[in-house]
Amino acid sequence: MTYLQFHLLFVVPPLLALLAAHRLVPAAAPRRLGVALAAMVGIALVYTTPWDNYLVARGVWSYPPGRVSFTLGYVPFEEYLFFVLQTLLTGLWLALLWPRLAPRERPSAASGPVRAVGAALFGALAVAGVAFLTRPEGLYLGLVLVWAAPVLALQWGFGGDLLLSRWRLLLATIVPSTVYLSLADRFALARGIWSIAPDASTGVFVGGLPLEEGVFFLATNLMITLGLALVLDARSPARIAGLRRGLRPAAWRAGWWRAALVAWAVLMVPVPLLGDRAFVPLAYLSTSLLTLGALGLALERAGRRALPAALVAVIFGWGVELLGSRTGVPFGAYRYLAAGPELLGVPLLVPLGWFAFAVLALQVAPGRWRWPGAAAALVAWDAGLDPLMVRQGLWRFEPAGGYFGVPLQNFLGWAMAGALLAALLVRLAPGLGRGRAPEARTVYLAQAGFIGAGLALFG
C-alpha cells in the first residue's frame, strides 16, 4: 500500500462523511468556519514544514521507495497533504460538535491563574523536550515537545479559561481524533508505509504504537482543536482588543512592572538546562526582576508609601538573615556559600527576595487573615525554594535538617519573620493590605509550577 492509498482508505472517507454531515445540518456550523479552517490549514503548513523536513533529514521518519509519489525537500508530497487533511478532519469534527456542547461559564476572577498555570505547564513540557534532545533515544519525543508545547502554551495563555469552559467539547474532539489517527498510524507502520528509527525513539509502546507517535497525534490534535476553538469563540475578539490596548505606549508605561514579571517568568525556563555554573547569576537576575515587578505592584497599590515600605522590607530581610547566619535564630544554624554581591556576609539577593516574596504573599493571602495568610504563603514558597538553594550550594544548614537538608526550625522562623514583615508592610503602606492582585496570584502559581516541574524533571 502506498501513502496516497493510505489517505484514500483512512483519511478521505471520514472527511467526506463530515462534509456530508455539515451539508445535512448547515445551521450547525459556526460562523466563520470556512475562513477559520483555511487559516488553520495555512498555519499548519507554514509551521510544520520546516520541522517535518528536519525530522526526516535526521532520519527519524523514513519512507521506502515506491510508497510515495514525490518529495519536496526531504518530505513526500503525501505528508504535506496530511497536514491539510488532518486539520480539516479534526476541525470539521469540532465544528459538528460545536452547537451541541455549549460552554460552561467560569468566574472571571479565576481566568488569570488558570491561564498562567496552564501556560507554565506547557512551558515545562517544552523544557522537558529540550532535556530529551540531549539523549539519542529522546530525539523524536524531544522534537515533538519542543515544536508543539510553546504553541500550546501561547494558546492556553491567551484563552485557557475560555477553553476550560468548553472542556467537554475539547475532550469530545481530541480523544476520538487522536485514537482514530493513532490506530491508522499503527496500521501504516505495520504495513511498512513509513517507519521510525529505533535509535531515535524511547522504545516504549502504548497499545502496540510507539509512544512518540501517540504524543505526536495528541499534540497536533491539541493545537488544531485549541486554536480553532479560540478562533470560533465569540469571546475572543474582546480579549484581542484588550491585548491591543495593552500594547499601547501609555499602557506599557503604566504597567512596566508587569513586563518585569513576564521577563522573570521567561528567565525561569532555561534555569535547569544551563548547568550549575549559570545558576547563581540567573538567581540574581531573576530575583532582581521579581523585585522590580513587586516594587511596581506595590507602587500601584500603595502609591509613594511603597518606597519607604520597600526600604524597610529590604533592611528587615538583611537584618533577620544576618541574625540567623550569626546566631541560628530564628532559622537554625546555617552559613552562606554563594559567590556574588554581599553585605556583612549576607548575599544581596536574599533581602531583595524577602521584599518581593512578602509583597506577593500579601496579595495572595485571604483578606481576613492577611498577616498569618501571608506568613503561610511565604512558608509554602520557601518549602520549594530552600531545598533547591541548599542543593545548589548557595547556603548550607549545619547540621543538615531532615527536609532535604533543611531543618523544620527554618520554616517556623519563616512563619514568624514573615508575619512580622507582613504587618510592617501593611502598617507602612496600607494599600498592600487591600484587595488581591491577580498578577501576584499568577506569579505565585507560576513559581509553584516552575519549581515543581523542575524538581520532577531534573531532580
Side-chain angles (χ1 to χ4, degrees):
M1 178 182 287
T2 66
Y3 198 168
L4 187 59
Q5 290 171 333
F6 170 84
H7 284 329
L8 294 174
L9 180 62
F10 286 101
V11 186
V12 174
L15 187 58
L16 292 176
L18 286 171
L19 288 170
H22 278 280
R23 288 187 66 85
L24 291 173
V25 282
R31 294 180 179 179
R32 308 186 310 275
L33 176 61
V35 175
L37 282 174
M40 293 294 293
V41 166
I43 292 171
L45 283 169
V46 170
Y47 187 66
T48 309
T49 293
W51 176 82
D52 211 329
N53 273 270
Y54 180 78
L55 201 85
V56 176
R58 290 291 302 269
V60 177
W61 282 340
S62 59
Y63 306 87
R67 298 297 183 100
V68 299
S69 303
F70 59 92
T71 59
L72 296 171
Y74 293 95
V75 176
F77 162 74
E78 290 86 350
E79 185 76 3
Y80 296 104
L81 186 60
F82 182 71
F83 304 163
V84 178
L85 294 177
Q86 184 192 3
T87 303
L88 294 175
L89 188 68
T90 303
L92 287 173
W93 176 238
L94 177 142
L96 193 65
L97 298 174
W98 185 270
R100 295 167 174 80
L101 296 172
R104 293 183 176 180
E105 296 293 340
R106 296 185 63 84
S108 59
S111 65
V114 164
R115 292 156 60 191
V117 172
L121 290 176
F122 282 122
L125 284 177
V127 173
V130 175
F132 278 114
L133 290 176
T134 61
R135 300 181 178 184
E137 67 275 13
L139 178 62
Y140 185 10
L141 185 57
L143 286 173
V144 173
L145 293 177
V146 168
W147 168 68
V151 175
L152 294 170
L154 288 172
Q155 289 174 328
W156 198 272
F158 172 80
D161 54 325
L162 308 182
L163 294 168
L164 197 58
S165 72
R166 296 185 182 272
W167 66 270
R168 296 181 302 158
L169 174 69
L170 301 186
L171 283 178
T173 303
I174 294 166
V175 173
S177 301
T178 301
V179 171
Y180 176 74
L181 290 174
S182 296
L183 292 174
D185 183 71
R186 182 181 173 184
F187 174 89
L189 287 170
R191 299 304 187 277
I193 301 173
W194 57 77
S195 61
I196 300 171
D199 57 350
S201 59
T202 59
V204 177
F205 287 78
V206 179
L209 185 73
L211 170 67
E212 294 85 353
E213 287 287 87
V215 173
F216 168 75
F217 287 114
L218 176 61
T220 51
N221 282 318
L222 271 169
M223 289 191 288
I224 295 167
T225 303
L226 301 192
L228 192 57
L230 289 173
V231 171
L232 297 177
D233 198 305
R235 298 167 291 181
S236 292
R239 183 154 297 177
I240 293 173
L243 289 175
R244 287 175 177 172
R245 289 193 296 271
L247 292 174
R248 294 172 182 170
W252 276 99
R253 286 194 295 270
W256 57 268
W257 55 273
R258 293 180 178 88
L261 294 179
V262 170
W264 164 83
V266 171
L267 187 66
M268 292 288 284
V269 174
V271 168
L273 303 175
L274 297 180
D276 292 345
R277 291 184 178 180
F279 186 84
V280 172
L282 286 176
Y284 273 93
L285 183 55
S286 64
T287 302
S288 298
L289 288 169
L290 193 63
T291 303
L292 193 62
L295 178 61
L297 171 61
L299 287 168
E300 187 170 288
R301 289 273 162 168
R304 294 182 178 179
R305 291 189 175 188
L307 294 175
L311 180 60
V312 168
V314 171
I315 294 173
F316 175 93
W318 174 81
V320 74
E321 293 289 345
L322 180 64
L323 176 66
S325 60
R326 298 290 177 88
T327 68
V329 177
F331 308 109
Y334 65 99
R335 62 190 182 95
Y336 289 108
L337 306 172
E342 62 177 40
L343 180 60
L344 297 181
V346 177
L348 294 184
L349 91 162
V350 178
L352 291 178
W354 271 100
F355 164 69
F357 301 161
V359 169
L360 295 169
L362 278 169
Q363 291 299 308
V364 300
R368 294 183 178 180
W369 303 93
R370 187 70 69 176
W371 300 348
L378 283 167
V379 171
W381 184 295
D382 190 57
L385 187 65
D386 238 322
L388 177 62
M389 295 302 185
V390 170
R391 166 65 180 82
Q392 292 294 331
L394 271 71
W395 53 79
R396 182 171 63 203
F397 288 88
E398 299 172 337
Y403 178 75
F404 303 103
V406 182
L408 295 181
Q409 180 185 342
N410 172 72
F411 302 111
L412 293 175
W414 267 77
M416 292 185 293
L420 179 57
L421 178 56
L424 283 172
L425 287 175
V426 172
R427 180 75 175 179
L428 293 170
L432 293 178
R434 293 192 292 266
R436 300 175 72 185
E439 296 87 353
R441 294 196 298 273
T442 300
V443 168
Y444 193 88
L445 291 171
Q447 170 77 350
F450 283 132
I451 287 190
L455 294 177
L457 294 170
F458 301 98

